[in-house]
């Protein structure tokens, strides 16, 4: 379905981004990976699906590096047809002791980076009259939790950016939508599980159960593979007129 298209997935060396990259690769898209840590493993996983893969190590908190990455994508593949704004970080603390530099980093990586990639990807999409922009927000783009001020602000912000991007391109073949996962057991969430286990002197398994019980009626983690299939749907012709939605996949979290 996506043969001939190129997808840039930010923060795709791990977790949800990698799951989405693999799902798009299964549909035949060429993939540009981005993120830190092991890059060769994820690249090999994508290539094993028979598609082209490239990697750019832009730090998503730095506008100039994001610009370099977009130029790199154009040079390698012509243009970005599918933009997945996924890179994200978390920090958990009450507002009065929230480190200002953590606030700045979260807003830069979770929100401002998507503004930069979107503004740089749109002209070529507009010329081609086709594009898909998918912002990985969160249930925290729809509802709040204590101790996550920067994260919740960034995710509400990206839901707003999603709607504006969708509206400004509403008469074109470019759609923009947000995905709002509940708990997904990635390194980002494992840190929160570890913190809970050590604070309360409980096992990893018990800490996972508590985390789910507080928020997710299904008592199950959403998986990166499931989120990948939702991204594939947004890229399909059936989703041509799905514009500006924030679609939660969250085990019932925000239904409560
Ligand atoms: P993760 O930690 O597994 O992956 C994050 C990715 O972003 C990694 O590839 C990492 O290298 C990359 N990254 C981090 N800082 C970066 C930077 N400055 N520049 C470039 N890349 C950077 O986390 P994840 O859980 O897969 O999170 C992915 C997205 O999904 C985030 O936006 C997160 O907020 C969102 N999300 C996660 C959950 C969850 O439960 N895990 C729930 C809702 C939303």
């Amino acid at each position: 379905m996506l043969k001939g298209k190129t997808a840039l997935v930010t923060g795709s060396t791990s977790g949800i981004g990698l799951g989405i990259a693999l799902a798009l690769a299964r549909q035949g898209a060429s993939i540009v990976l981005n993120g830190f840590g092991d890059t060769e493993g994820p690249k090999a996983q994508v290539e094993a699906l028979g598609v082209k893969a490239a990697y750019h190590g832009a730090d998503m908190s730095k506008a100039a590096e994001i610009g370099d990455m977009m130029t790199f994508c154009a040079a390698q593949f012509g243009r970005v047809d599918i933009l997945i704004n996924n890179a994200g970080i978390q920090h958990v603390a009450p507002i009065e002791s929230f480190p200002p530099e953590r606030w700045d980093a979260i807003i830069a990586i979770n929100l401002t980076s998507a503004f930069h990639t979107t503004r740089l990807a749109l002209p070529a999409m507009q010329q081609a009259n086709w594009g898909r922009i998918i912002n990985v927000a969160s249930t925290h783009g729809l509802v709040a939790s204590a101790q996550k001020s920067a994260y919740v602000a960034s995710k509400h912000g990206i839901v707003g950016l999603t709607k504006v991007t969708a509206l400004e391109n509403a008469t074109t073949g470019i759609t923009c939508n947000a995905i709002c996962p509940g708990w997904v057991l990635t390194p980002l969430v494992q840190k929160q599980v570890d913190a809970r286990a050590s604070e309360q002197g409980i096992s990893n398994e018990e800490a996972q159960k508590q985390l789910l019980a507080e928020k997710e009626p299904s008592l199950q983690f959403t998986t990166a593979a499931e989120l990948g299939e939702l991204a594939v749907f947004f890229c399909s012709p059936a989703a041509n007129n799905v514009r500006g939605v924030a679609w939660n996949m969250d085990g019932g979290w925000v239904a409560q």
Side-chain angles (χ1 to χ4, degrees):
M1 188 180 80
L2 299 176
K3 220 165 178 211
K5 307 282 192 214
T6 298
L8 165 63
V9 188
T10 70
S12 47
T13 49
S14 154
I16 294 169
L18 181 56
I20 292 177
L22 293 172
L24 297 177
R26 270 183 216 106
Q27 297 298 322
S30 303
I31 304 292
V32 182
L33 296 163
N34 157 262
F36 302 145
D38 174 31
T39 59
E40 285 310 312
K43 191 159 172 274
Q45 275 182 269
V46 171
E47 284 167 343
L49 296 167
V51 298
K52 286 189 196 142
Y55 167 80
H56 193 283
D59 179 336
M60 297 305 289
S61 67
K62 302 203 162 80
E65 293 187 24
I66 295 171
D68 284 349
M69 179 172 68
M70 301 309 287
T71 305
F72 168 84
C73 291
Q76 292 278 314
F77 296 108
R79 68 167 173 268
V80 172
D81 304 287
I82 300 167
L83 169 63
I84 312 288
N85 289 311
N86 167 79
I89 58 167
Q90 174 64 287
H91 185 80
V92 180
I95 292 172
E96 62 275 18
S97 55
F98 207 94
E101 61 280 7
R102 285 284 84 202
W103 170 279
D104 288 344
I106 289 174
I107 299 298
I109 295 165
N110 295 15
L111 176 58
T112 309
S113 72
F115 162 67
H116 289 304
T117 52
T118 300
R119 79 183 166 79
L120 295 169
L122 272 173
M125 288 181 178
Q126 286 162 346
Q127 207 173 13
N129 197 31
W130 197 90
R132 292 289 187 264
I133 300 174
I134 300 173
N135 294 325
V136 179
S138 166
T139 46
H140 287 116
L142 304 169
V143 295
S145 294
Q147 306 216 353
K148 295 186 176 175
S149 54
Y151 190 83
V152 169
S154 72
K155 295 301 185 179
H156 275 66
I158 205 164
V159 169
L161 177 64
T162 302
K163 292 175 184 173
V164 174
T165 308
L167 289 181
E168 288 185 3
N169 294 279
T171 58
T172 75
I174 303 162
T175 70
C176 180
N177 294 291
I179 291 178
C180 298
W183 291 124
V184 186
L185 195 55
T186 64
L188 181 142
V189 163
Q190 187 60 48
K191 272 192 210 157
Q192 295 171 64
V193 171
D194 292 344
R196 186 181 286 256
S198 84
E199 269 161 28
Q200 297 185 23
I202 56 176
S203 68
N204 177 64
E205 206 180 25
E206 188 52 40
Q208 284 183 20
K209 271 193 200 152
Q210 278 189 17
L211 206 77
L212 286 168
E214 274 172 17
K215 299 285 187 186
E216 289 211 13
S218 69
L219 304 177
Q220 283 173 42
F221 289 101
T222 300
T223 67
E226 289 162 352
L227 293 162
E229 291 307 314
L230 181 55
V232 167
F233 168 69
F234 282 142
C235 293
S236 74
N240 277 348
N241 209 25
V242 180
R243 296 174 188 269
V245 307
W247 188 316
N248 40 311
M249 201 184 239
D250 64 354
W253 182 324
V254 306
Q256 298 167 93

